[in-house]
Amino acid sequence: MGDTVLLCVHGIQGGPERFSEVERALAGRFDVVRLLLPGHGSDVRAFRTSGMDAWQACVDEAIDDLRRKYRGIVYLGHSMGGLLGIDACLRGHRVDAMILLACPLRIRITWRYVRNSVCSVLGWRDLNPFVHATRLGNSVQARHPWEYLSCARPYVQLLRKSRDVRRRVGALAIPVAALHGSRDEIVHRRSLDCFKGMANASRRILSGCGHEYYTEEARGIILAMVEAALGSDAVQTD
């Protein structure tokens, strides 16, 4: 539909459905690619036998493939998807602008995260919007809730990726917008500090939002930022 594309990358255990609303809003105006990372959208076994190397390679290849087809690429990453995008850019897989939602450069585990995760897999308290969003955000299916306990390895890899990217993020030379929910259950607000002092970076707190749950107002803000980035001269590069 044009010479600029939006590449959307979900977080760990997530899926491309997270970006369905954005794709619908942009339909007819901009091309949108919603990536499904290896081992996601399936069962626990497929998830735990995948891993960070495969996820990073998937993002790298997607960026390179889109670069051959489009003049401009805007990257929208949620959680781990943000880490993968930053790492790809720092290794020469070029996008023109990034919008990062809850990028886990600093991670903390809160009791709310544990509660929401347990309730979502057990089907409890689904009327709670944070629990409901956590359940909908999980694309990895288990025959029994205890199966999720076998997935420690990918999360250890995530912690390592977070530490590695945090050390190097200051070298990003493209426009970056980092957004963080004021009630995020697992990503620390100090993640935004990693972008402090970067002339090309903006930071914003989204009031009332969690890691998976975003208010209607916040979704409108994100969509407006995406539209602005897609329409910016900054992405019309050779």
Side-chain angles (χ1 to χ4, degrees):
M1 260 164 233
D3 54 6
T4 302
V5 64
L6 178 68
L7 174 59
C8 304
V9 182
H10 61 80
I12 193 166
Q13 281 195 228
E17 292 76 15
R18 159 161 292 283
F19 306 103
S20 296
E21 184 176 347
V22 171
E23 183 176 45
R24 288 193 299 269
L26 297 176
R29 295 184 292 145
F30 293 101
D31 289 342
V32 177
V33 173
R34 297 181 297 147
L35 213 57
L36 176 64
L37 297 174
H40 292 73
S42 185
D43 58 20
V44 165
R45 184 179 182 279
F47 173 70
R48 70 173 180 243
T49 55
S50 185
M52 194 62 66
D53 289 345
W55 303 336
Q56 188 66 66
C58 181
V59 171
D60 294 352
E61 291 168 10
I63 292 173
D64 292 346
D65 181 58
L66 292 174
R67 182 56 68 185
R68 289 188 286 268
K69 301 174 181 176
Y70 295 89
R71 291 183 63 199
I73 302 173
V74 173
Y75 188 100
L76 176 60
H78 175 252
S79 194
M80 182 184 72
L83 296 178
L84 297 172
I86 294 171
D87 198 351
C89 287
L90 292 175
R91 290 180 294 102
H93 303 275
R94 187 169 59 91
V95 305
D96 300 281
M98 303 188 80
I99 299 171
L100 307 176
L101 311 176
C103 187
L105 292 169
R106 292 195 179 276
I107 297 172
R108 62 167 183 176
I109 297 177
T110 66
W111 72 268
R112 289 183 295 111
Y113 171 76
V114 175
R115 180 201 65 187
N116 292 350
S117 298
V118 170
C119 288
S120 68
V121 300
L122 295 178
W124 299 345
R125 299 188 60 181
D126 198 50
L127 292 179
N128 180 305
F130 293 87
V131 174
H132 184 69
T134 299
R135 181 176 64 79
L136 292 181
N138 177 29
S139 74
V140 177
Q141 304 306 312
R143 291 169 296 179
H144 189 279
W146 296 114
E147 265 198 297
Y148 289 114
L149 296 179
S150 67
C151 297
R153 175 177 164 270
Y155 282 90
V156 171
Q157 294 177 338
L158 174 61
L159 291 172
R160 292 172 179 164
K161 174 71 80 172
S162 173
R163 182 175 63 247
D164 177 59
V165 172
R166 182 171 69 241
R167 292 169 176 167
R168 299 183 291 125
V169 66
L172 271 181
I174 59 172
V176 179
L179 297 94
H180 180 84
S182 65
R183 299 182 64 186
D184 195 301
E185 303 92 341
I186 190 167
V187 176
H188 200 289
R189 185 177 298 202
R190 288 174 56 206
S191 290
L192 290 185
D193 293 342
C194 299
F195 300 96
K196 188 181 294 184
M198 294 170 57
N200 57 318
S202 64
R203 302 171 294 155
R204 182 162 185 169
I205 297 289
L206 298 175
S207 179
C209 298
H211 191 68
E212 296 288 348
Y213 172 71
Y214 287 81
T215 65
E216 183 177 353
E217 178 183 10
R219 296 197 302 272
I221 291 170
I222 294 165
L223 178 60
M225 295 181 74
V226 168
E227 291 177 321
L230 288 167
S232 170
D233 290 340
V235 300
Q236 304 302 321
T237 56
D238 294 325

